[in-house]
Amino acid sequence: MPRGFETAERLLGALADVLFPPRCQSCGRTSGALVAGLFCPVCGGDIRYIAPPVCPVCGAPGPAGQTADRLCEDCRRAPKPFAVARSLAVYAGPLLRSIHDFKYRRQPGLGRRLGRLIIDNNYAGMELEGFDVVVPVPLHVRRLRERGFNQSLLLARTVAAGRGIPVDFVSLRRERDTPPQTAMGRNERRVNIRGAFAVVRRDRLRDRGVLLVDDVYTTGSTLGECARTLLEGGAARVGVLTLARALPETPEAP
Ligand SMILES: [Zn+2]
Ligand SMILES: [Zn+2]
C-alpha cells in the first residue's frame, strides 16, 4: 500500500477513536481499553467467571466453603443425559445485560464478540478438543421469524470457527414450539420440553462427539432434552457449553 494511504488510514482510525470512542457494552461509558472488546474495566471486573470447585457433570459452582469438585444435588437426584456441561460465567450483571441486548435488542454483532469470550477461556474438566461438531440449540421456526436470528447459532458459529470444527444447525430440529418456561419450576420445564426436538439427519451425527452450544444454562431441562435427543439420534457423546449459567438467586431470562 502506498505510504500516503497508510498514513491516511492511521489518521482516520485515530479520528474515529476521538469521534466515536469505544463504549462499554454494559454501562455505556467510553473507555480507552475495553475488556474483550466489550466491557470497561469496572464492568469487566464485575463478571463472575466460573472456576473450580464445580459439579463435575453440570458445572454448577460449588457452594461457599466447598473445596473440591463434587456432584451437585440436582445431578445426584436426576442424572444428566450429557456427559459434561460448562459455562463461562454467572448469568448476572454486565454479562446478563449484554445477553439481553444481543437477544432482545437484536444485536447479532455483539453475539460474535460474546462467542469469542466463550472460546478464549479454559474449562476445567472439559476438553474442547474431544468434539467433532458444534450443534446450537435450535429455535422453533416461529420464534426464528419473530427474532430474526438464532442466538445459539451465532455463538455456535464462533465457537466452531475458533475450534476449527464444523457447525451443524440442520440435524437437530425443534419440532414443537413450547410455552415460555420462565415461570415454570424444574419438573414442569422437563415435562414441557419433552419431545420438543428431533434428529432429522442421523447420518451426520452417528458416532460423533457433539458440543451443544447455548447462551444460558438455566435448569438444564432444554439442554438435557437436546442431549437426550442427540444421543437417541446416534451421537456418541454430548457436551454442553454455554456463555452464562443462571444461579438460583439470579433472575431468569424473560
Ligand atoms: Zn462499563
Ligand atoms: Zn450437577
Side-chain angles (χ1 to χ4, degrees), residues 54-60 70-76 80 82 217 245:
V54 295
C55 167
V57 175
C58 76
R70 204 165 55 217
L71 207 61
C72 75
E73 207 185 303
D74 181 42
C75 288
R76 260 187 306 223
K80 298 280 178 275
F82 45 78
Y217 184 118
R245 170 90 191 205

Side-chain angles (χ1 to χ4, degrees), residues 226-248:
C226 283
R228 196 184 65 77
T229 310
L230 287 164
L231 291 166
E232 269 184 19
R237 178 172 170 269
V238 178
V240 170
L241 191 57
T242 72
L243 186 56
R245 170 90 191 205
L247 296 186

Side-chain angles (χ1 to χ4, degrees), residues 128 130-135 165 205-212 234-239:
L128 294 183
F131 297 96
D132 307 305
V133 61
V134 178
V135 170
I165 54 176
L205 294 175
R206 190 163 299 128
D207 301 328
R208 325 278 333 254
V210 175
L211 184 62
L212 188 61
R237 178 172 170 269
V238 178

Side-chain angles (χ1 to χ4, degrees), residues 34-190:
L34 294 182
V35 178
L38 286 165
F39 305 114
C40 72
V42 175
C43 293
D46 277 348
I47 293 181
R48 289 155 64 193
Y49 291 93
I50 295 173
V54 295
C55 167
V57 175
C58 76
Q66 185 179 310
T67 52
D69 286 357
R70 204 165 55 217
L71 207 61
C72 75
E73 207 185 303
D74 181 42
C75 288
R76 260 187 306 223
R77 209 175 36 222
K80 298 280 178 275
F82 45 78
V84 59
R86 292 292 182 269
S87 309
L88 177 77
V90 173
Y91 188 43
L95 189 60
L96 180 147
R97 281 191 288 278
S98 299
I99 291 175
H100 280 201
D101 283 349
F102 163 41
K103 274 168 82 167
Y104 305 112
R105 298 174 73 186
R106 299 172 194 222
Q107 299 184 13
L110 175 57
R112 279 183 281 277
R113 275 178 287 158
L114 290 169
R116 272 197 290 276
L117 263 188
I118 300 183
I119 45 173
D120 288 345
N121 187 61
N122 290 315
Y123 299 88
M126 184 189 218
E127 294 293 335
L128 294 183
E129 287 75 23
F131 297 96
D132 307 305
V133 61
V134 178
V135 170
V137 170
L139 267 189
H140 190 270
V141 66
R142 195 179 321 152
R143 298 280 183 100
L144 191 60
R145 265 191 233 120
E146 276 167 22
R147 191 172 297 161
F149 66 99
N150 176 359
Q151 77 280 0
S152 304
L153 173 56
L154 273 181
L155 296 175
R157 276 193 204 282
T158 308
V159 170
R163 302 303 320 168
I165 54 176
V167 61
D168 178 345
F169 55 93
V170 174
S171 300
L172 182 68
R173 190 184 288 170
R174 186 148 191 156
E175 299 276 83
R176 188 160 57 79
D177 199 9
T178 51
Q181 308 206 97
T182 317
M184 294 183 194
R186 201 172 286 269
N187 284 331
E188 276 177 288
R189 281 173 184 248
R190 237 191 315 256

